[in-house]
Amino acid sequence: MPSKVNAKQEQLARFAKAMGHPTRVAILQFLAKRNTCYFGDINEELPIAKATVSQHLKELKEAGLIQGEVEAPKVKYCINRDNWKLACCLFRDFFGQLVASESEGCCG
């Protein structure tokens, strides 16, 4: 086990934590299907309370997976495409590191 956590590991953990709730995954899937930023109220599209949506959006924004701008009286949200690509690479590298062996694994 590595003795020191590096920046890539910290970023991967930040993305994983932000995606660690089914509602946040649903929000990401909803926003990812749009080619432009979404101006509507996400709680109208997803069956969750407005306060709950706000908290989940805050978590996703702090992790850098989405971005939002206030354009009174609404806020527009969209996927942060640069960080989305980074997350894809980090997760691909993480899940791709399994070393192939002749056995099926330690539990098989």
Side-chain angles (χ1 to χ4, degrees):
M1 181 164 201
S3 61
K4 187 175 179 183
V5 176
N6 64 39
K8 284 184 178 182
Q9 292 165 329
E10 288 179 5
Q11 185 64 59
L12 178 65
R14 192 173 304 119
F15 289 148
K17 182 180 177 192
M19 295 173 64
H21 192 284
T23 299
R24 291 194 287 269
V25 171
I27 291 169
L28 288 171
Q29 288 176 321
F30 174 79
L31 292 174
K33 292 177 185 173
R34 275 123 191 97
N35 289 327
T36 60
C37 290
Y38 181 72
F39 270 97
D41 291 325
I42 292 174
N43 64 300
E44 290 176 9
E45 301 292 330
L46 301 172
I48 46 182
K50 198 174 232 181
T52 304
V53 170
S54 293
Q55 183 60 37
H56 288 305
L57 288 169
K58 179 181 176 211
E59 294 286 333
L60 291 169
K61 193 172 177 184
E62 286 178 358
L65 290 169
I66 66 170
Q67 51 196 28
E69 295 177 22
V70 176
E71 292 189 13
K74 296 189 176 196
V75 180
K76 69 178 183 177
Y77 291 100
C78 56
I79 295 293
N80 180 320
R81 293 183 184 276
D82 291 337
N83 283 343
W84 189 265
K85 289 175 188 172
L86 175 60
C88 288
C89 290
L90 291 173
F91 280 107
R92 183 188 64 236
D93 291 348
F94 177 74
F95 287 114
Q97 68 185 346
L98 179 65
V99 177
S101 67
E102 293 181 24
S103 69
E104 290 184 26
C106 67
C107 300

